[in-house]
Amino acid sequence: MSIEQKQKQIEATLRLAPVVPVVIIHDARAAVPMARALVAGGVPAIEVTLRTPAALDAIRAIAEEVEGAMVGVGTVLSAKDLRAAHKAGARFAVSPGVSPGLLDAADDSDLPLLPGVATAGEAMTLLERGYHHLKFFPAVPAGGHKLLGAWASPLPQIRFCPTGGISLTNAQDFLTLPNVLCVGGSWLTPADKLESGDWAGIERLAREAAALRGA
């Protein structure tokens, strides 16, 4: 699959909802009811981060059992991570930054990658390699919506999914920018709700996030 085809898949994924939940999951048994709650709330693209031993099992369970979910993998740092996530059933991959090895592995993989950048120079480097859709991370510490908005004019070819420090209270600052397709955030799946099995609460948070579209 060409980089152009994979970037089109990334764009389609980012346009599914205004927010991509960034999930840190410690118990894979929670993955399916959590994902069903997110999908029911109107947020079908789900990024499960490789920050816990349960992550790959969670991705596999969501991919196999949750209709309507577009499950992806986050915190991809290496070619090994990319291969394991693809094998588990991930539909897209997200990295906090990039390395030559990871980009080479992404070129050889059919798993679409959303690579992370924090500077205009990094964005330009990825643009040269055919990436037009990028993650801006860590969004708030790196300069927030004002910095990202300033990139819209000199880098009009690029669309972003900012992640890092974003919540319901500041998401709209990013979503109103012309170069932002969606935001990523962990507030939709807080640890206390995952641990207690409060799937109705997660669905409510997803509905609040989905309502940001077009606001």
Side-chain angles (χ1 to χ4, degrees):
M1 189 185 301
S2 69
I3 182 67
E4 291 82 7
Q5 291 172 312
K6 286 182 280 190
Q7 282 287 284
K8 286 181 180 178
Q9 289 189 12
I10 286 288
E11 180 181 4
T13 299
L14 298 184
R15 290 188 181 278
L16 288 173
V19 181
V20 175
V22 179
V23 182
I24 301 172
I25 193 161
H26 293 275
D27 186 350
R29 292 174 297 181
V32 168
M34 173 206 69
R36 286 175 176 158
L38 291 170
V39 172
V43 182
I46 305 166
E47 176 190 336
V48 178
T49 65
L50 292 180
R51 302 182 194 179
T52 70
L56 289 173
D57 287 337
I59 291 167
R60 188 175 296 108
I62 295 169
E64 292 176 353
E65 300 182 41
V66 184
E67 184 177 356
M70 174 71 74
V71 64
V73 58
T75 322
V76 173
L77 305 179
S78 66
K80 180 181 178 181
D81 291 342
L82 202 65
R83 289 192 297 269
H86 198 190
K87 185 176 180 181
R91 304 280 295 279
F92 64 97
V94 185
S95 62
V98 291
S99 68
L102 179 59
L103 289 176
D104 289 344
D107 286 344
D108 294 332
S109 173
D110 284 338
L111 187 61
L113 176 66
L114 179 71
V117 301
T119 69
E122 292 169 344
M124 290 170 60
T125 298
L126 284 165
L127 187 61
E128 288 181 352
R129 292 195 62 149
Y131 287 87
H132 294 262
H133 299 88
L134 307 175
K135 170 181 175 176
F136 176 48
F137 177 82
V140 172
H145 67 281
K146 291 184 178 180
L147 176 62
L148 195 54
W151 290 354
S153 180
L155 298 171
Q157 312 95 322
I158 303 177
R159 296 294 179 269
F160 294 91
C161 173
T163 303
I166 297 178
S167 66
L168 185 64
T169 58
N170 65 0
Q172 197 61 57
D173 293 336
F174 291 90
L175 289 170
T176 56
L177 297 176
N179 56 346
V180 168
L181 292 181
C182 66
V183 300
S186 59
W187 83 88
L188 283 74
T189 55
D192 61 336
K193 292 190 184 303
L194 288 175
E195 291 170 5
S196 66
D198 185 4
W199 315 126
I202 287 176
E203 183 177 340
R204 284 194 297 272
L205 293 173
R207 289 188 184 281
E208 288 179 344
L212 291 168
R213 179 186 295 276

